[in-house]
Amino acid sequence: MISLFLNTSVDFLSVAIVKDDVVLDSFYTKLNNDLSKITLSVIDDMLNRLSISKRDIDKIVCVNGPGSFTGLRIGVTIAKVWAYSLNIDIIGVSSLYVLATGVEGDYIVPIIDARRGYVYAGIYDGNYNVIMNDCYISLEELSNKVSELSSDVVYVSSNGFNGSVVYSPNIERIFKYIDMSNVSNCFSFVPNYLKRVEAEEKLNG
């Protein structure tokens, strides 16, 4: 079983080719303005290095949010196009779960800055089981929820936001604990924004 892993949800690009939970090749870098071109180029280069055809890919594991609206749209669109052309399924993965797997601890709180004192956050235990579902939440409310936990807590983000640990990819851990039941096809797979875009919020009050 060969999987293509794709994450464009926050301020980095992460791509990997995984065969039977073994990482054959991976790529990780900060994002820039040519995300769509770079992402496709990285995937093609990786497949060429491994002498793997696109037709050899059995499934796509794609991070679909929350995170950057633009980044999510690009990643989800690539996943949908490839899934359609190859007639394969997509496994949707939470960006917060992915951040959580970059560290270890009794409790792990992945966070993404949503501005104005709010974050996207979740709470996971040491085996990356969900303790608090991913949500859009104020830092104050999140702090109150974390204070109720009985053990030490590790905060993690992609950029060290609010003093958190800076994320470092662990693709093996992502695939070890991933929920493979979250299956979509190319038509049903959509970004999970968790909140409306700012322009839509202003329009609708």
Side-chain angles (χ1 to χ4, degrees), residues 23-41:
V23 178
L24 302 182
D25 199 356
S26 63
F27 178 89
Y28 177 77
T29 190
K30 288 290 183 179
L31 298 180
N32 63 31
N33 294 329
D34 295 322
L35 174 59
S36 57
K37 293 180 181 178
I38 290 176
T39 302
L40 292 171
S41 176

Side-chain angles (χ1 to χ4, degrees), residues 14 42 180:
S14 183
V42 166
M180 288 297 183

Side-chain angles (χ1 to χ4, degrees), residues 10-12 66-67 95-100 103 108-114 118-124 132 134-135 137-139 142-143 146 153-167:
V10 282
D11 51 355
F12 60 80
S95 56
L96 293 168
Y97 162 78
V98 168
L99 287 173
V103 296
I108 302 164
V109 180
I111 53 177
I112 299 172
D113 182 14
Y118 281 78
V119 292
Y120 302 112
I123 300 177
Y124 295 78
M132 182 185 80
D134 295 354
C135 60
I137 188 172
S138 71
L139 282 168
L142 177 62
S143 178
V146 169
V153 174
V154 179
Y155 286 85
V156 59
S157 71
S158 65
N159 54 10
F161 172 73
N162 210 38
S164 58
V165 174
V166 177
Y167 170 73

Side-chain angles (χ1 to χ4, degrees), residues 82-152:
W82 277 51
Y84 177 79
S85 63
L86 298 174
N87 193 28
I88 58 178
D89 289 328
I90 306 171
I91 307 295
V93 186
S94 160
S95 56
L96 293 168
Y97 162 78
V98 168
L99 287 173
T101 60
V103 296
E104 296 178 294
D106 293 333
Y107 290 103
I108 302 164
V109 180
I111 53 177
I112 299 172
D113 182 14
R115 300 181 180 181
R116 300 184 180 89
Y118 281 78
V119 292
Y120 302 112
I123 300 177
Y124 295 78
D125 68 14
N127 291 315
Y128 309 101
N129 297 307
V130 175
I131 302 299
M132 182 185 80
N133 288 328
D134 295 354
C135 60
Y136 174 70
I137 188 172
S138 71
L139 282 168
E140 181 180 3
E141 185 178 355
L142 177 62
S143 178
N144 290 337
K145 290 184 178 296
V146 169
S147 68
E148 298 172 359
L149 300 176
S150 58
S151 300
D152 290 340

Side-chain angles (χ1 to χ4, degrees), residues 33-53:
N33 294 329
D34 295 322
L35 174 59
S36 57
K37 293 180 181 178
I38 290 176
T39 302
L40 292 171
S41 176
V42 166
I43 296 171
D44 285 340
D45 290 346
M46 197 173 287
L47 292 175
N48 288 335
R49 282 197 303 272
L50 296 170
S51 297
I52 292 175
S53 165

